[in-house]
Amino acid sequence: GAGVSQSPSNKVTEKGKDVELRCDPISGHTALYWYRQSLGQGLEFLIYFQGNSAPDKSGLPSDRFSAERTGGSVSTLTIQRTQQEDSAVYLCASSPGQGMGFNQPQHFGDGTRLSIL
Amino acid sequence: KNEVEQSPQNLTAQEGEFITINCSYSVGISALHWLQQHPGGGIVSLFMLSSGKKKHGRLIATINIQEKHSSLHITASHPRDSAVYICAVYPGSARQLTFGSGTQLTVLP
């Protein structure tokens, strides 16, 4: 389909390893968001990309977390030296972005369920 | 205190009942989302609104900006409506969403 695609859908790794999570937004969407949903917790914002502007990283919980967005499309969220508290579902969303008003419906991927052993 | 509060946290209803889920927020917002999250985890945007009322099928969302309150109504509820319903807002000029903790709805046949 033409929705937001995330991979992998599940990832199990050992504490201390690095992980990369991928997000393919809807084609043409210039805004891309990463969120995290820990077990029993609500969704929390991590990082936001809008076009070629500098990303809003204000939600990243530590310097072990980073994200890139190449060519204004695909994004990768990287977690270095994973800890058990990083276990969560990581959700990506995209929206059309500027030019239509920046408050637009966000379209979510199915998420990556990350488990740190 | 969370910026976005939902009530109830859990709701069980019989098929056919009229359901209301409430969302209150404490900051100025530019828009509010109602989202639906099914047991598999996928999230679907139901409504985005900044004033008044929107209707889609059996779902109705209302917002009162002055009272900082929104409601999601489901008419003639069905077991397939069972999901977590999440209220999320765009606070001020922020471009990212702030989320409520969700309402777990279970509709029994």
Side-chain angles (χ1 to χ4, degrees), chain A residues 33 35 37 41-45 48 50 56 58 89 91 95 98 102-110 113, chain B residues 29-31 33 35 37 39-45 48 86 90 92-101:
Chain A
Y33 308 79
Y35 299 98
Q37 187 174 35
Q41 304 291 318
L43 285 144
E44 60 174 323
F45 164 74
Y48 159 68
Q50 173 57 59
D56 177 351
S58 59
V89 176
L91 288 148
S95 69
Q98 290 178 343
F102 65 81
N103 287 160
Q104 297 145 358
Q106 294 188 18
H107 301 262
F108 287 79
D110 288 337
R113 185 172 299 276
Chain B
I29 69 167
S30 51
H33 254 301
L35 306 167
Q37 185 172 31
I43 292 179
V44 174
S45 175
M48 193 182 76
I86 302 168
Y90 284 108
S93 60
R95 285 158 170 79
Q96 68 272 13
L97 290 167
T98 298
F99 298 87
S101 56

Side-chain angles (χ1 to χ4, degrees), chain A residues 16-90:
Chain A
K17 300 286 189 184
D18 296 353
V19 295
E20 284 189 354
L21 312 179
R22 176 185 168 104
C23 172
D24 271 291
I26 292 172
S27 178
H29 280 193
T30 60
L32 186 147
Y33 308 79
W34 282 100
Y35 299 98
R36 176 170 75 172
Q37 187 174 35
S38 301
L39 186 63
Q41 304 291 318
L43 285 144
E44 60 174 323
F45 164 74
L46 297 177
I47 188 168
Y48 159 68
F49 295 89
Q50 173 57 59
N52 295 320
S53 302
D56 177 351
K57 305 180 183 180
S58 59
L60 294 178
S62 79
D63 59 8
R64 296 186 295 104
F65 287 71
S66 62
E68 290 185 336
R69 189 177 184 195
T70 54
S73 181
V74 172
S75 177
T76 302
L77 177 69
T78 301
I79 309 172
Q80 296 178 308
R81 306 181 302 281
T82 51
Q83 304 293 313
Q84 286 187 329
E85 64 262 27
D86 300 334
S87 297
V89 176
Y90 290 81

Side-chain angles (χ1 to χ4, degrees), chain B residues 6 8-9 11 19 21-22 33-38 44 46 58-59 72-74 78-88 100-107:
Chain B
Q6 285 186 239
Q9 287 188 319
L11 178 58
I19 286 162
I21 299 170
N22 295 300
H33 254 301
W34 279 103
L35 306 167
Q36 180 191 56
Q37 185 172 31
H38 277 284
V44 174
L46 298 175
R58 295 180 295 106
L59 301 177
L72 176 68
H73 306 285
I74 305 175
H78 189 277
R80 64 174 175 268
D81 297 326
S82 298
V84 175
Y85 291 84
I86 302 168
C87 172
S101 56
T103 295
Q104 172 70 62
L105 171 65
T106 303
V107 182

